[in-house]
Amino acid sequence: MKTALKVVGALLGIALLCAGGLYAWASIRTTRMLTRIVDTHQVDFPIPFPLTEAEIAELASPDSARAVALARAIERGRHLVDSRYVCTECHGANFGGGVMIDDPAIGTALGPNITGGFGSRVWEYDTADWDRTIRHGVGPSGRPLVMPAEDFQLMSDQELSDVVAYVKSVPPVENEVPAVTLGPLGKVLLALGEILLAADVIPSHTAPHSVFPPASEATVEFGRHLSGVCTGCHRPDFSGGPIPGGDPSWPPAKNLTPHESALGSWSFDDFARSLREGTRPDGTGVLEPMAAIVRYTRNMSDTEVQAIWNCLQTVPAVPVE
Ligand code: HEC
Ligand code: HEC
């Protein structure tokens, strides 16, 4: 009896030591990962993008060109955020601060205040800083961020410029948001590579970005560009599966390929309804986190929904596992 207790005690001790060792290793490794410097290119583009010669020719007064350019950029930026780039999901509806993750085990990653008010993280941002943060997942200091910036890597200069013009146009909010802290599980998952940082996922930090997005037409090319915000969850080949780094309570992302076991049996109208109303052909509603995404995709234009559908029709069919 005594020996059995001793064995159990020894095993428990070893288990605790291993857990302690794993935690210590994970703490050191994640600190290194988050404090290293990631080199990125230094880009510049106008905010707002100027009007074209043809657009200026249509104005009643050419003197209003800058004001009109800004007003149009803000409108485009608002549409991009409200239909596609979901910044408000984590930074709050007024951009004054919000929540990405708040979990004692995984950690606390709050979306900071990005308005012009007290406590803002972007007061000293220049154009290169916006590029680094949004399209590379690297803060102005060169350190990697936990924001999933891989979803934004396909943004063209003009789209990023429009988003920044819009963010800069909102009323300032006073709110200072604490920095990201990782919980024990968050550290272990990050150290083991189960959670990946955007800076490590984005294939290049020096490749030039496209200046303009593809024309806003129902083409496969425009659809591919738009679906850059879907692949983080639905995978680059759209075959779906468990969401990397996602909340453990989330269901796997669905297979969106044209295989008969996936969207092959859906009509375009079924697809449009799923993005507009969050319902499937069988009448069931999509679950979180897709339900949250639908609050954005429902603002997509008909052309945008059609373009994504046309793109999905061209990807290789993969059977649902
Ligand atoms: C899924 C949640 C999420 C989304 C979506 C998101 N962010 Fe963030 N963002 C964060 C978090 C969390 C941080 C805190 C810093 C970090 O990542 O380490 C952050 C940081 C930032 C920062 C400040 C970085 C710094 O410390 O200097 C800016 C600027 C920013 N985000 C802008 C945006 C914009 C613009 C969008 C939309 C295009 C966006 N974010 C979408 C979660 C998000
Ligand atoms: C944050 C992760 C996430 C993002 C981003 C995302 N999805 Fe989803 N999506 C999911 C999950 C998870 C499901 C499964 C939900 C369920 O089981 O009800 C889903 C379900 C769907 C469905 C229903 C499919 C079916 O067979 O029921 C469609 C259609 C869809 N997504 C399209 C898209 C499109 C298009 C985009 C990009 C504009 C997108 N999703 C972006 C996570 C995401």
Side-chain angles (χ1 to χ4, degrees):
M1 182 66 196
K2 265 195 184 155
T3 352
L5 267 182
K6 266 189 199 155
V7 170
V8 170
L11 284 178
L12 261 179
I14 291 170
L16 275 176
L17 268 179
C18 287
L22 177 67
Y23 179 68
W25 167 78
S27 297
I28 295 169
R29 190 166 156 77
T30 50
T31 304
R32 272 204 207 130
M33 286 170 88
L34 291 169
T35 52
R36 87 204 123 115
I37 300 292
V38 178
D39 283 328
T40 55
H41 59 190
Q42 179 96 12
V43 304
D44 200 11
F45 50 77
I47 302 171
F49 260 53
L51 299 182
T52 61
E53 296 287 326
E55 285 170 321
I56 295 177
E58 281 169 12
L59 297 178
S61 145
D63 295 344
S64 61
R66 196 185 140 82
V68 173
L70 180 59
R72 288 186 191 170
I74 291 172
E75 270 324 299
R76 287 192 304 263
R78 185 197 310 275
H79 177 69
L80 292 172
V81 170
D82 287 353
S83 67
R84 204 188 303 169
Y85 292 126
V86 314
C87 320
T88 40
E89 200 57 24
C90 304
H91 290 278
N94 61 3
F95 295 109
V99 182
M100 177 168 118
I101 307 170
D102 190 6
D103 179 284
I106 296 183
T108 309
L110 304 178
N113 178 358
I114 57 170
T115 70
F118 178 80
S120 169
R121 210 64 79 72
V122 297
W123 260 352
E124 298 189 337
Y125 262 51
D126 61 17
T127 308
D129 293 329
W130 283 106
D131 165 58
R132 223 175 258 128
T133 298
I134 310 292
R135 294 191 295 200
H136 300 276
V138 176
S141 63
R143 296 195 167 84
L145 298 167
V146 302
M147 174 164 86
E150 63 270 29
D151 294 355
F152 313 133
Q153 58 179 311
L154 293 184
M155 253 192 218
S156 61
D157 289 348
Q158 188 191 35
E159 288 164 312
L160 178 53
S161 174
D162 291 345
V163 168
V164 175
Y166 172 49
V167 171
K168 286 186 171 193
S169 77
V170 304
V173 176
E174 278 192 24
N175 184 28
E176 197 159 4
V177 174
V180 172
T181 51
L182 290 175
L185 182 60
K187 283 183 185 169
V188 171
L189 292 177
L190 184 62
L192 292 175
E194 293 295 322
I195 299 180
L196 295 171
L197 295 171
D200 295 325
V201 176
I202 295 172
S204 169
H205 293 301
T206 50
H209 302 276
S210 54
V211 178
F212 294 102
S216 182
E217 290 159 8
T219 56
V220 173
E221 190 199 4
F222 187 45
R224 184 154 289 285
H225 179 70
L226 294 170
S227 65
V229 296
C230 319
T231 50
C233 294
H234 288 278
R235 310 276 171 103
D237 67 353
F238 298 100
S239 64
I243 298 174
D247 187 317
S249 70
W250 288 349
K254 294 275 189 188
N255 180 326
L256 302 181
T257 72
H259 193 270
E260 59 193 14
S261 61
L263 296 197
S265 59
W266 288 35
S267 66
F268 167 71
D269 288 339
D270 292 334
F271 179 69
R273 209 169 301 117
S274 72
L275 294 191
R276 291 262 152 74
E277 292 158 32
T279 51
R280 280 180 270 254
D282 65 5
T284 57
V286 295
L287 306 173
E288 294 292 348
M290 191 60 205
I293 298 295
V294 170
R295 288 198 289 275
Y296 297 86
T297 55
R298 71 178 178 205
N299 298 318
M300 282 187 175
S301 68
D302 293 344
T303 309
E304 289 168 328
V305 174
Q306 183 77 55
I308 299 181
W309 175 252
N310 292 352
C311 162
L312 291 176
Q313 297 306 296
T314 66
V315 307
V318 179
V320 170
E321 275 181 15

